[in-house]
Amino acid sequence: MKITFSALSIPKKGSAVILAGKDNKLGIIAQGLDDSSDGALTRAMKAAKFKAEQGKFLEILAPAHLKLDRIIIAGISSDDELNLHHWERFGGGLYGRLAASKSQAVTLVLENAGDDEILSPAVARAIHGAFLRSYTFDRYKGEIKGGKKKKDKNHNVNNSKSPDSLAVQCEKPAVVRKIYADLDGLGSGVFVARDLVNEPANILYPAEFAARAKKLAKLGVKVEVLSEKQMEKLGMHALLGVGMGSVRDSSLVVMQWNGGPKTQKPIAFVGKGVTFDTGGISLKPGAGMGDMKGDMGGAGCVTGLMHALAARKAKANVIGVIALAENMPDAAAQRPGDVVTSMSGQTIEILNTDAEGRLVLADALWYTQKRFKPQFMINLATLTGAILVALGQNHAGLFSNNDELSQRITDAGLTTGEKVWRMPLGPEYDKMIDCDIANMKNIGGRYAGSITAAQFLQRFVNDVPWAHLDIAGTAMNSPKSEINRSWASGYGVRLLNQLVADHYEK
Ligand code: BES
Ligand code: ZN
Ligand code: ZN
């Protein structure tokens, strides 16, 4: 979708969007259109009993005396105070409305309407919302021509291409263009995460995932891929055990973006990248198992975040580590009852091979803190079904050993709409994974499943300020929202980009 920004002027052709504020008040350009069409717009609003509230739209086709195909009046008044995320939702809803009417070349006249203002950051956020909404995952929906499928090699190609361009008019186009440049990088990072999570597991196995991560080199990210052999040398048997039943090799990808001062300690993000989770020998039931192609949502987010930070040249030193493995049942697979030694030296009795996310993260977290001594580590993982039971799909579970970090993540969640809810940790829960024959077992029993999983991870962070986001409910199978209609949400990219921007780029 082509997006341009220019100064306010009267739109002459195609489809135009104008804004209406409280009491259906129009701005100067919109009023001009109303006057030129003998009051068609005000009459239409009256006839439809239109109330110009945020998220409400009214479409007028072929307005009299104008060459425009249609005018869409978008309401922007609201009783709530509008934060930037509201404007993203506004823009997403507007994009949905434009797509529904199959509008092509669209001019958006984003001017103040009566007492309702749309300032430059709000304009940029609205367009960002529209961009996020424009995402589709349709690379396997090529048209069948002559019995052969027409291949579409590009990602994010919207076959219906509706609308194909947005010409945005606003008061300060140069200012908006500058703000939007960063949001463009962020938006493409979100698309990277969504693409990775949507991709089926026969296409996206660990090596293919690593190959896609390597593409970040184009943006100036340093990318290393550790092979099974290298991981063996490091003693990562918790991670390696998970991939033993798969014909695909496991790997660990390390991404580095050095946009901050040389002396600044890095911050680190670590992602669970189980490209498919059958449960292993502790096989999952069949229903819904296909969803487990998204069990790399944590790694998808970390990769999308690194893309976003590099694309907008964030002034911070950032490490992204993703632990990639496929959890399959096989003669070579690890068994319930096996004992493995992790890189940290701690031993683990595997009582359920389906609790594999904590195993790959155990080695990834230990490696990250040991090698990079980061200011903090945040890991993301589609870790437990229990977090869906506790929080549903609108909050990720937040577990942390650090109140300041927790508060910062919580605040970023409110700013972006990617919300988190803090859950408890404590020695009573930690005890639940003590084990008779090893240092710990990988399951805690029937109760508090998300907490015992987090306690397990905490045993591998070595007192570094750390937070774990359980995104099993928020990364995939997403409820329809104004800014996303796809199965994958890209959850976490906007949240953590905000965290970095708010606190770690000074
Ligand atoms: N990948 C799953 C968790 C999951 C469930 C993610 C639903 C997304 C949607 C994880 O590896 C898993 O299987 N966890 C088990 C842990 C149990 C065996 C202790 C679970 O949640 O049932
Ligand atoms: Zn599992
Ligand atoms: Zn899993």
Side-chain angles (χ1 to χ4, degrees):
M1 189 168 56
K2 197 170 158 232
I3 297 169
T4 54
F5 299 96
S6 61
L8 292 162
S9 71
I10 300 216
K12 295 272 159 29
K13 56 179 194 317
S15 299
V17 176
I18 59 170
L19 306 182
K22 197 163 188 276
D23 301 324
N24 293 358
K25 288 227 172 78
L26 301 175
I28 295 165
I29 300 285
Q31 191 59 57
L33 287 170
D34 192 38
D35 293 343
S36 318
S37 64
D38 284 345
L41 306 185
T42 33
R43 270 189 290 132
M45 287 196 280
K46 219 172 156 193
K49 298 197 171 59
F50 182 71
K51 263 184 131 179
E53 288 159 0
Q54 171 109 217
K56 292 257 160 54
F57 303 101
L58 179 67
E59 179 168 348
I60 297 131
L61 291 171
H65 311 305
L66 298 174
K67 294 237 164 66
L68 291 165
D69 296 334
R70 64 164 62 71
I71 292 178
I72 291 177
I73 305 177
I76 58 166
S77 87
S78 170
D79 292 337
D80 304 335
E81 206 187 307
L82 299 180
N83 66 17
L84 292 175
H85 181 54
H86 278 102
W87 287 108
E88 290 170 355
R89 293 214 300 264
F90 165 78
L94 177 58
Y95 184 92
R97 190 71 196 70
L98 290 166
S101 65
K102 298 202 166 45
S103 306
Q104 288 298 328
V106 179
T107 307
L108 306 181
V109 182
L110 303 186
E111 61 176 342
N112 299 334
D115 291 336
D116 293 275
E117 290 186 310
I118 178 160
L119 303 173
S120 296
V123 172
R125 285 290 168 163
I127 303 309
H128 181 52
F131 178 77
L132 291 173
R133 175 68 174 266
S134 75
Y135 176 87
T136 53
F137 184 74
D138 51 16
R139 53 188 316 206
Y140 301 110
K141 282 192 76 166
E143 270 168 50
I144 308 199
K145 282 224 169 123
K148 245 198 160 178
K149 219 167 153 201
K150 217 175 84 192
K151 263 212 180 145
D152 191 351
K153 286 195 216 79
N154 299 319
H155 300 190
N156 312 318
V157 172
N158 182 347
N159 282 339
S160 52
K161 288 212 172 60
S162 199
D164 53 2
S165 69
L166 294 179
V168 183
Q169 296 187 4
C170 51
E171 206 162 301
K172 296 178 178 155
V175 176
V176 174
R177 213 176 281 134
K178 198 152 171 253
I179 303 173
Y180 189 75
D182 281 358
L183 295 175
D184 184 50
L186 175 57
S188 49
V190 173
F191 281 17
V192 165
R194 287 182 185 170
D195 270 353
L196 288 166
V197 174
N198 279 321
E199 199 70 84
N202 60 327
I203 308 285
L204 192 79
Y205 42 89
E208 171 62 15
F209 197 135
R212 296 214 188 167
K214 274 194 164 168
K215 290 189 182 163
L216 294 188
K218 267 192 268 174
L219 296 172
V221 177
K222 202 171 131 199
V223 185
E224 293 162 73
V225 181
L226 272 62
S227 66
E228 287 198 343
K229 215 166 145 197
Q230 287 167 298
M231 291 193 283
E232 224 150 88
K233 261 202 193 138
L234 289 162
M236 295 186 169
H237 297 288
L239 193 163
L240 287 167
V242 173
M244 265 170 34
S246 172
V247 294
R248 310 289 193 180
D249 273 4
S250 305
S251 63
L252 188 89
V253 178
V254 181
M255 297 166 265
Q256 299 185 53
W257 168 252
N258 294 314
K262 276 219 168 67
T263 50
Q264 192 182 70
K265 270 171 96 181
I267 56 180
F269 300 94
V270 180
K272 167 180 173 181
V274 175
T275 57
F276 197 78
D277 181 13
T278 62
I281 296 299
S282 313
L283 193 64
K284 285 182 181 295
M289 202 203 276
D291 282 357
M292 286 303 115
K293 72 171 185 175
D295 208 21
M296 31 52 68
C301 171
V302 169
T303 310
L305 175 68
M306 296 304 288
H307 179 108
L309 295 173
R312 70 171 184 79
K313 300 200 166 33
K315 291 186 184 59
N317 297 329
V318 189
I319 307 293
V321 174
I322 55 178
L324 302 170
E326 185 183 50
N327 189 20
M328 299 292 274
D330 182 81
Q334 74 179 347
R335 294 148 291 255
D338 284 2
V339 174
V340 296
T341 304
S342 66
M343 181 185 174
S344 73
Q346 300 175 93
T347 55
I348 305 159
E349 187 184 18
I350 314 287
L351 287 180
N352 188 322
T353 62
D354 194 14
E356 85 298 342
R358 63 200 75 183
L359 298 171
V360 301
L361 285 172
D363 283 336
L365 286 165
W366 186 262
Y367 174 84
T368 303
Q369 59 81 28
K370 192 166 178 227
R371 175 167 169 198
F372 295 107
K373 314 254 172 325
Q375 294 182 56
F376 69 69
M377 291 195 287
I378 296 176
N379 75 260
L380 300 105
T382 49
L383 203 64
T384 65
I387 204 68
L388 271 148
V389 178
L391 298 178
Q393 298 193 279
N394 294 310
H395 287 84
L398 163 65
F399 303 81
S400 179
N401 60 6
N402 187 290
D403 291 342
E404 186 185 49
L405 184 59
S406 284
Q407 193 56 52
R408 288 176 173 185
I409 297 170
T410 303
D411 292 344
L414 294 175
T415 307
T416 56
E418 292 192 328
K419 291 177 286 189
V420 302
W421 197 260
R422 193 169 180 185
M423 303 279 285
L425 289 167
E428 311 85 343
Y429 296 110
D430 189 65
K431 244 195 242 140
M432 292 166 75
I433 53 168
D434 283 345
C435 175
D436 289 340
I437 70 157
N439 296 131
M440 70 197 85
K441 53 190 179 185
N442 78 329
I443 50 171
R446 214 164 105 72
Y447 299 133
S450 300
I451 308 176
T452 50
Q455 292 293 166
F456 185 97
L457 299 181
Q458 195 178 7
R459 292 189 180 202
F460 297 88
V461 303
N462 212 4
D463 291 333
V464 172
W466 154 81
H468 151 54
L469 294 171
D470 194 334
I471 59 170
T474 52
M476 57 171 129
N477 234 331
S478 316
K480 284 192 166 61
S481 82
E482 299 293 35
I483 58 168
N484 181 41
R485 293 289 148 132
S486 144
W487 186 77
S489 62
Y491 179 94
V493 176
R494 292 165 54 250
L495 171 75
L496 297 172
N497 173 71
Q498 190 70 41
L499 175 79
V500 174
D502 286 347
H503 300 288
Y504 301 96
E505 288 192 67
K506 272 150 216 150

mmCIF file of all heavy atoms in Angstrom, residues 272 277 284 292 295 352 354-358 382-386 388 442-443 472 476, ligand 1:
data_model
loop_
_atom_site.group_PDB
_atom_site.id
_atom_site.type_symbol
_atom_site.label_atom_id
_atom_site.label_comp_id
_atom_site.label_asym_id
_atom_site.label_seq_id
_atom_site.Cartn_x
_atom_site.Cartn_y
_atom_site.Cartn_z
ATOM 1 N N LYS A 272 10.903 -18.261 22.664
ATOM 2 C CA LYS A 272 10.658 -19.695 22.426
ATOM 3 C C LYS A 272 10.314 -19.878 20.957
ATOM 4 O O LYS A 272 9.368 -19.285 20.455
ATOM 5 C CB LYS A 272 9.502 -20.193 23.301
ATOM 6 C CG LYS A 272 8.965 -21.588 22.907
ATOM 7 C CD LYS A 272 7.808 -22.058 23.788
ATOM 8 C CE LYS A 272 7.195 -23.355 23.272
ATOM 9 N NZ LYS A 272 6.049 -23.824 24.081
ATOM 10 N N ASP A 277 4.842 -28.073 17.813
ATOM 11 C CA ASP A 277 4.805 -28.776 19.096
ATOM 12 C C ASP A 277 3.727 -29.851 19.079
ATOM 13 O O ASP A 277 2.555 -29.587 19.315
ATOM 14 C CB ASP A 277 4.523 -27.764 20.225
ATOM 15 C CG ASP A 277 4.503 -28.426 21.596
ATOM 16 O OD1 ASP A 277 4.949 -29.602 21.711
ATOM 17 O OD2 ASP A 277 4.047 -27.765 22.559
ATOM 18 N N LYS A 284 0.152 -34.669 22.182
ATOM 19 C CA LYS A 284 -1.059 -33.871 22.405
ATOM 20 C C LYS A 284 -2.251 -34.562 21.754
ATOM 21 O O LYS A 284 -2.090 -35.281 20.774
ATOM 22 C CB LYS A 284 -0.895 -32.488 21.740
ATOM 23 C CG LYS A 284 0.002 -31.530 22.463
ATOM 24 C CD LYS A 284 0.043 -30.197 21.723
ATOM 25 C CE LYS A 284 0.957 -29.203 22.425
ATOM 26 N NZ LYS A 284 0.514 -28.803 23.753
ATOM 27 N N MET A 292 -0.402 -25.510 16.801
ATOM 28 C CA MET A 292 0.964 -25.550 17.357
ATOM 29 C C MET A 292 2.042 -25.175 16.336
ATOM 30 O O MET A 292 3.230 -25.153 16.647
ATOM 31 C CB MET A 292 1.242 -26.918 17.975
ATOM 32 C CG MET A 292 0.510 -27.116 19.296
ATOM 33 S SD MET A 292 0.927 -25.823 20.503
ATOM 34 C CE MET A 292 -0.636 -25.018 20.685
ATOM 35 N N ASP A 295 3.735 -22.177 17.798
ATOM 36 C CA ASP A 295 4.443 -22.302 19.075
ATOM 37 C C ASP A 295 5.828 -21.646 19.042
ATOM 38 O O ASP A 295 6.615 -21.781 19.972
ATOM 39 C CB ASP A 295 4.541 -23.780 19.464
ATOM 40 C CG ASP A 295 4.615 -23.973 20.971
ATOM 41 O OD1 ASP A 295 4.199 -23.060 21.708
ATOM 42 O OD2 ASP A 295 5.109 -25.045 21.405
ATOM 43 N N ASN A 352 7.252 -34.739 31.394
ATOM 44 C CA ASN A 352 6.281 -34.593 30.307
ATOM 45 C C ASN A 352 6.994 -33.904 29.137
ATOM 46 O O ASN A 352 7.450 -32.774 29.274
ATOM 47 C CB ASN A 352 5.079 -33.758 30.800
ATOM 48 C CG ASN A 352 3.951 -33.742 29.785
ATOM 49 O OD1 ASN A 352 4.181 -33.680 28.574
ATOM 50 N ND2 ASN A 352 2.724 -33.803 30.277
ATOM 51 N N ASP A 354 5.832 -32.673 26.634
ATOM 52 C CA ASP A 354 5.062 -31.547 26.087
ATOM 53 C C ASP A 354 5.368 -30.237 26.832
ATOM 54 O O ASP A 354 4.979 -29.163 26.379
ATOM 55 C CB ASP A 354 3.561 -31.875 26.165
ATOM 56 C CG ASP A 354 2.708 -30.945 25.319
ATOM 57 O OD1 ASP A 354 3.280 -30.229 24.472
ATOM 58 O OD2 ASP A 354 1.478 -30.938 25.511
ATOM 59 N N ALA A 355 6.053 -30.332 27.956
ATOM 60 C CA ALA A 355 6.476 -29.096 28.639
ATOM 61 C C ALA A 355 7.883 -28.772 28.147
ATOM 62 O O ALA A 355 8.867 -28.796 28.898
ATOM 63 C CB ALA A 355 6.440 -29.294 30.151
ATOM 64 N N GLU A 356 7.972 -28.500 26.836
ATOM 65 C CA GLU A 356 9.270 -28.383 26.163
ATOM 66 C C GLU A 356 9.752 -26.940 26.039
ATOM 67 O O GLU A 356 10.948 -26.693 25.910
ATOM 68 C CB GLU A 356 9.198 -29.032 24.770
ATOM 69 C CG GLU A 356 8.658 -28.138 23.655
ATOM 70 C CD GLU A 356 7.224 -27.668 23.840
ATOM 71 O OE1 GLU A 356 6.498 -28.282 24.644
ATOM 72 O OE2 GLU A 356 6.829 -26.651 23.230
ATOM 73 N N GLY A 357 8.811 -25.982 26.101
ATOM 74 C CA GLY A 357 9.202 -24.580 25.907
ATOM 75 C C GLY A 357 10.181 -24.142 26.971
ATOM 76 O O GLY A 357 11.198 -23.486 26.691
ATOM 77 N N ARG A 358 9.910 -24.530 28.210
ATOM 78 C CA ARG A 358 10.797 -24.141 29.316
ATOM 79 C C ARG A 358 12.181 -24.758 29.150
ATOM 80 O O ARG A 358 13.178 -24.204 29.622
ATOM 81 C CB ARG A 358 10.141 -24.533 30.652
ATOM 82 C CG ARG A 358 9.924 -26.000 30.843
ATOM 83 C CD ARG A 358 8.878 -26.327 31.906
ATOM 84 N NE ARG A 358 7.509 -26.083 31.447
ATOM 85 C CZ ARG A 358 6.411 -26.238 32.188
ATOM 86 N NH1 ARG A 358 6.513 -26.623 33.439
ATOM 87 N NH2 ARG A 358 5.216 -26.009 31.687
ATOM 88 N N THR A 382 5.011 -18.873 23.989
ATOM 89 C CA THR A 382 3.684 -19.502 24.036
ATOM 90 C C THR A 382 3.853 -20.712 24.955
ATOM 91 O O THR A 382 3.933 -21.840 24.502
ATOM 92 C CB THR A 382 3.273 -19.939 22.618
ATOM 93 O OG1 THR A 382 4.363 -20.666 22.037
ATOM 94 C CG2 THR A 382 2.960 -18.741 21.730
ATOM 95 N N LEU A 383 3.907 -20.434 26.262
ATOM 96 C CA LEU A 383 4.449 -21.447 27.183
ATOM 97 C C LEU A 383 3.412 -22.403 27.741
ATOM 98 O O LEU A 383 3.672 -23.592 27.861
ATOM 99 C CB LEU A 383 5.206 -20.746 28.327
ATOM 100 C CG LEU A 383 6.248 -21.623 29.021
ATOM 101 C CD1 LEU A 383 7.363 -22.021 28.056
ATOM 102 C CD2 LEU A 383 6.856 -20.924 30.232
ATOM 103 N N THR A 384 2.238 -21.884 28.134
ATOM 104 C CA THR A 384 1.273 -22.781 28.795
ATOM 105 C C THR A 384 -0.164 -22.530 28.348
ATOM 106 O O THR A 384 -0.592 -21.388 28.150
ATOM 107 C CB THR A 384 1.307 -22.585 30.331
ATOM 108 O OG1 THR A 384 0.853 -21.256 30.664
ATOM 109 C CG2 THR A 384 2.679 -22.812 30.900
ATOM 110 N N GLY A 385 -0.907 -23.634 28.221
ATOM 111 C CA GLY A 385 -2.353 -23.519 27.992
ATOM 112 C C GLY A 385 -3.018 -22.877 29.202
ATOM 113 O O GLY A 385 -4.056 -22.222 29.085
ATOM 114 N N ALA A 386 -2.407 -23.054 30.368
ATOM 115 C CA ALA A 386 -3.006 -22.538 31.605
ATOM 116 C C ALA A 386 -3.128 -21.012 31.607
ATOM 117 O O ALA A 386 -4.014 -20.462 32.272
ATOM 118 C CB ALA A 386 -2.178 -23.004 32.808
ATOM 119 N N LEU A 388 -4.126 -19.248 29.178
ATOM 120 C CA LEU A 388 -5.400 -18.974 28.501
ATOM 121 C C LEU A 388 -6.562 -19.140 29.472
ATOM 122 O O LEU A 388 -7.545 -18.405 29.425
ATOM 123 C CB LEU A 388 -5.583 -19.937 27.329
ATOM 124 C CG LEU A 388 -4.999 -19.464 25.998
ATOM 125 C CD1 LEU A 388 -4.508 -20.636 25.181
ATOM 126 C CD2 LEU A 388 -6.032 -18.670 25.225
ATOM 127 N N ASN A 442 10.320 -31.029 35.064
ATOM 128 C CA ASN A 442 9.833 -30.006 34.121
ATOM 129 C C ASN A 442 8.323 -29.777 34.180
ATOM 130 O O ASN A 442 7.797 -29.028 33.355
ATOM 131 C CB ASN A 442 10.297 -30.303 32.683
ATOM 132 C CG ASN A 442 9.479 -31.387 32.000
ATOM 133 O OD1 ASN A 442 8.979 -32.303 32.667
ATOM 134 N ND2 ASN A 442 9.357 -31.296 30.682
ATOM 135 N N ILE A 443 7.636 -30.404 35.109
ATOM 136 C CA ILE A 443 6.225 -30.049 35.330
ATOM 137 C C ILE A 443 5.970 -29.924 36.836
ATOM 138 O O ILE A 443 6.662 -30.547 37.652
ATOM 139 C CB ILE A 443 5.232 -31.083 34.739
ATOM 140 C CG1 ILE A 443 5.596 -32.507 35.172
ATOM 141 C CG2 ILE A 443 5.179 -30.983 33.221
ATOM 142 C CD1 ILE A 443 4.552 -33.529 34.803
ATOM 143 N N ALA A 472 0.829 -17.408 25.139
ATOM 144 C CA ALA A 472 0.044 -18.482 24.498
ATOM 145 C C ALA A 472 -1.355 -17.997 24.124
ATOM 146 O O ALA A 472 -1.945 -18.462 23.152
ATOM 147 C CB ALA A 472 -0.043 -19.696 25.427
ATOM 148 N N MET A 476 -1.545 -15.906 18.927
ATOM 149 C CA MET A 476 -2.194 -16.598 17.803
ATOM 150 C C MET A 476 -3.663 -16.815 18.073
ATOM 151 O O MET A 476 -4.136 -16.555 19.175
ATOM 152 C CB MET A 476 -1.499 -17.933 17.588
ATOM 153 C CG MET A 476 -1.523 -18.801 18.841
ATOM 154 S SD MET A 476 -0.939 -20.446 18.536
ATOM 155 C CE MET A 476 0.275 -20.647 19.806
HETATM 156 N N1 BES B 1 2.961 -24.963 23.440
HETATM 157 C C1 BES B 1 2.282 -25.421 24.576
HETATM 158 C C2 BES B 1 1.417 -24.343 25.244
HETATM 159 C C3 BES B 1 0.277 -23.776 24.431
HETATM 160 C C4 BES B 1 -1.008 -24.244 24.616
HETATM 161 C C5 BES B 1 0.485 -22.744 23.565
HETATM 162 C C6 BES B 1 -2.045 -23.702 23.905
HETATM 163 C C7 BES B 1 -0.558 -22.188 22.846
HETATM 164 C C8 BES B 1 -1.833 -22.670 23.029
HETATM 165 C C9 BES B 1 3.266 -25.928 25.614
HETATM 166 O O1 BES B 1 4.445 -26.446 25.123
HETATM 167 C C10 BES B 1 2.600 -27.031 26.348
HETATM 168 O O2 BES B 1 2.270 -27.998 25.747
HETATM 169 N N2 BES B 1 2.390 -26.829 27.646
HETATM 170 C C11 BES B 1 1.718 -27.785 28.447
HETATM 171 C C12 BES B 1 2.454 -27.892 29.749
HETATM 172 C C13 BES B 1 2.058 -29.064 30.595
HETATM 173 C C14 BES B 1 2.472 -30.353 29.935
HETATM 174 C C15 BES B 1 2.718 -28.920 31.938
HETATM 175 C C16 BES B 1 0.294 -27.291 28.666
HETATM 176 O O3 BES B 1 0.073 -26.093 28.747
HETATM 177 O O4 BES B 1 -0.590 -28.127 28.708
#
